[in-house]
Amino acid sequence: MELILSIAYTAFFIFLIGKLKFFRFDGISTFTIKAGFIIKIIAGIAVGLIYTYYYTNRLTADTFKFFDDSKILFDSVYTKPFDFFRMVTGIGAGASELQPYYDKMTNWYDTFSPYNDNRTMIRFNALVRFLSMGHYYVHVIFVCFLSLTGMVAIVKVFKREFPDLVLQFFFTFILLPSVLFWGSGLLKDALVFFAIGFVLYSFDKLINEKNRLLQNLILLVCFLFLLMISKFHVFILLLPLLTAWWLSSKTKLSPLISFMVCHLFFILIIFLLPLINDSYNLAVMLSHKQAAFYGLASSAGAGSIISIPILEPTILSILKNAPQAFITCFTRPFLTDGGSFLIKISALENILILVMGIIALIKIKIVTLKDKILPMLCLFYAATFFTLIGLVTPVMGAIVRYKAQALPFLVILFLIVLNVQLKGKLIENLVSPKK
């Protein structure tokens, strides 16, 4: 039955890709998008197989633990539908009579952020169970389609400023090994790509199109909320990016200045928050998060722990260690690092990206990008994301996974820089050909 349902839903989603206007735009054929969807499904299945036969503890495997917990939530629909409604919507979910359900789950209370993103995945899986009959790989197909639509949405946003790079942008999301692997499994990462894609897509329409303002605003709010409950730190990192995007579009400030000003302003707000409410002390949160990572890695016997500076719960400690944190996340893993074959593949991927980045840095001409907003968005998102991960994550496997959410934006930035440089050389040769 699982095979039949998987084939049927795959065929249905391929049909949608061919029919929906959203998937039709210049630069990419629907066949290419359909092929990308199939590639993602294969990768999503590979994630399930690896966690079935290689990492065999279902209680610690993200791709299974939320899926398994969702069955406890879903089964309540047959006996007490009102309990199901409260748990899946969060409305009245704190009622004491619901405690027995939560006690049976292993991940309902496991959280380090103001919003429990574990519960988002449990609820998502519970809802998909209405269509999947409880078959894991059907869930994989659903999440692959959501992830794909988010990635297509991001590509459509970047198409506005760089229409000649559409295919390269799409392949960045589909073919980068770490992005393909982590962004295709039944994991939070896939939902993050879905949410961030439509946050950028709806915001781009609000900025650049005058029709359907209310519809786009509602979409933006909904997907910002989804992002907030899926990965809270990504939601926080996006706020100054969107603000800078708006500021640069509506004023005469250059994109670079707008993004710098907005990030400095948001950093100031974050560091002043403890004066209003000490529970929002970022320095303390990051210090505790790093300590929790070390504790979890030690108890699980992780073989890829690396040495990073111990964070003290002070602003000075964060600022002092931020540059090294960025470099660690950007450059690791090395080929010499130990760990699983997934880390080795990521190390090879990292070498190619580093080489690409070095060439882009040598070739870059800031003046050619001074009026472009999206390259600045990529730069500041990747820089802040990598710094955050590098500050709190001492486990190589976790770095590989988490950085995949920002890695395509960094590669897109390099593609833009290299493409602008090549176009500049081409125009220069046409205007003043060498004799």
Side-chain angles (χ1 to χ4, degrees):
M1 179 57 72
E2 184 169 24
L3 179 60
I4 294 172
L5 281 176
S6 298
I7 293 173
Y9 281 119
T10 299
F12 173 70
F13 287 130
I14 288 175
F15 171 78
L16 284 184
I17 292 171
K19 289 296 182 181
L20 292 179
K21 184 179 178 181
F22 174 79
F23 293 102
R24 296 198 300 271
F25 56 104
D26 294 338
I28 305 178
S29 67
T30 54
F31 175 82
T32 301
I33 298 175
K34 291 175 183 178
F37 179 51
I38 297 298
I39 291 172
K40 285 181 67 62
I41 290 175
I42 294 171
I45 292 172
V47 172
L49 293 175
I50 287 172
Y51 277 97
T52 297
Y53 298 106
Y54 192 76
Y55 303 106
T56 55
N57 188 349
R58 288 181 75 100
L59 293 178
T60 59
D62 280 3
T63 192
F64 288 126
K65 64 185 185 182
F66 305 128
F67 174 78
D68 292 341
D69 278 353
S70 73
K71 186 178 186 303
I72 299 168
L73 195 161
F74 178 78
D75 285 347
S76 67
V77 78
Y78 299 113
T79 54
K80 295 185 178 180
F82 185 55
D83 287 356
F84 173 84
F85 173 80
R86 286 187 290 176
M87 288 188 289
V88 83
T89 63
I91 301 173
S96 58
E97 61 266 30
L98 300 178
Q99 193 63 42
Y101 298 107
Y102 305 148
D103 290 341
K104 292 179 183 177
M105 300 182 197
T106 57
N107 302 281
W108 187 261
Y109 291 111
D110 185 19
T111 181
F112 292 99
S113 70
Y115 291 90
N116 192 325
D117 48 28
N118 289 353
R119 297 177 188 179
T120 303
M121 282 303 296
I122 294 170
R123 287 164 171 152
F124 168 77
N125 279 298
L127 290 173
V128 176
R129 280 180 179 272
F130 282 105
L131 301 172
S132 71
M133 297 178 64
H135 295 297
Y136 169 83
Y137 288 104
V138 175
H139 289 239
V140 170
I141 291 166
F142 272 81
V143 86
C144 281
F145 181 73
L146 293 180
S147 175
L148 176 77
T149 57
M151 293 171 174
V152 169
I154 296 172
V155 172
K156 295 184 78 168
V157 170
F158 281 84
K159 177 181 180 293
R160 191 183 298 277
E161 284 190 357
F162 305 98
D164 53 336
L165 286 173
V166 170
L167 196 59
Q168 291 92 319
F169 293 158
F170 181 73
F171 284 150
T172 296
F173 285 103
I174 298 299
L175 299 181
L176 270 180
S178 58
V179 179
L180 175 62
F181 185 83
W182 299 112
S184 301
L186 187 57
L187 301 161
K188 298 173 191 175
D189 310 65
L191 281 187
V192 169
F193 280 119
F194 174 60
I196 197 174
F198 281 96
V199 166
L200 298 180
Y201 181 75
S202 54
F203 192 81
D204 175 69
K205 286 191 171 294
L206 275 175
I207 292 291
N208 295 295
E209 298 179 10
K210 295 182 179 180
N211 58 330
R212 298 180 179 177
L213 291 178
L214 181 59
Q215 175 184 321
N216 290 322
L217 181 60
I218 292 172
L219 279 175
L220 176 63
V221 172
C222 289
F223 282 103
L224 277 172
F225 177 74
L226 176 59
L227 190 60
M228 182 178 70
I229 63 175
S230 299
K231 276 296 178 184
F232 186 73
H233 67 269
V234 179
F235 166 77
I236 292 297
L237 293 178
L238 266 191
L239 294 181
L241 295 173
L242 298 180
T243 306
W245 187 350
W246 178 87
L247 185 65
S248 183
S249 300
K250 302 302 179 182
T251 68
K252 294 183 179 180
L253 279 178
S254 72
L256 179 59
I257 298 299
S258 296
F259 278 85
M260 290 179 64
V261 168
C262 287
H263 277 79
L264 289 173
F265 179 71
F266 270 78
I267 290 171
L268 180 63
I269 290 177
I270 288 173
F271 287 143
L272 289 177
L273 278 177
L275 300 178
I276 302 172
N277 188 334
D278 194 55
S279 61
Y280 294 106
N281 192 318
L282 178 68
V284 172
M285 287 182 186
L286 293 182
S287 177
H288 288 173
K289 180 70 172 178
Q290 187 195 68
F293 257 117
Y294 269 117
L296 183 62
S298 298
S299 63
S304 58
I305 298 178
I306 62 174
S307 177
I308 61 174
I310 300 299
L311 275 183
E312 299 174 5
T314 65
I315 296 172
L316 181 61
S317 179
I318 292 175
L319 295 177
K320 182 178 69 174
N321 292 301
Q324 181 177 340
F326 170 78
I327 293 172
T328 298
C329 188
F330 179 49
T331 60
R332 305 294 286 271
F334 303 139
L335 276 176
T336 53
D337 286 326
S340 67
F341 72 96
L342 292 175
I343 292 179
K344 296 300 183 184
I345 293 174
S346 181
L348 291 171
E349 173 189 65
N350 222 34
I351 291 173
L352 294 176
I353 293 173
L354 285 171
V355 171
M356 187 179 182
I358 292 170
I359 296 173
L361 188 62
I362 294 172
K363 298 291 186 180
I364 191 170
K365 291 184 178 179
I366 298 296
V367 68
T368 60
L369 298 174
K370 66 176 183 177
D371 297 323
K372 302 293 186 182
I373 294 173
L374 295 179
M376 294 299 109
L377 183 144
C378 290
L379 173 63
F380 280 83
Y381 179 59
T384 53
F385 195 101
F386 282 14
T387 300
L388 181 62
I389 299 304
L391 283 171
V392 301
T393 313
V395 181
M396 190 65 69
I399 290 175
V400 167
R401 175 181 172 181
Y402 296 151
K403 71 187 286 187
Q405 296 172 19
L407 200 59
F409 292 90
L410 187 65
V411 173
I412 285 173
L413 174 63
F414 294 158
L415 286 171
I416 290 171
V417 170
L418 294 174
N419 182 67
V420 169
Q421 177 66 22
L422 288 173
K423 286 178 66 177
K425 288 290 186 182
L426 179 61
I427 294 172
E428 181 181 318
N429 290 335
L430 289 174
V431 174
S432 303
K434 295 180 180 180
K435 296 181 181 180

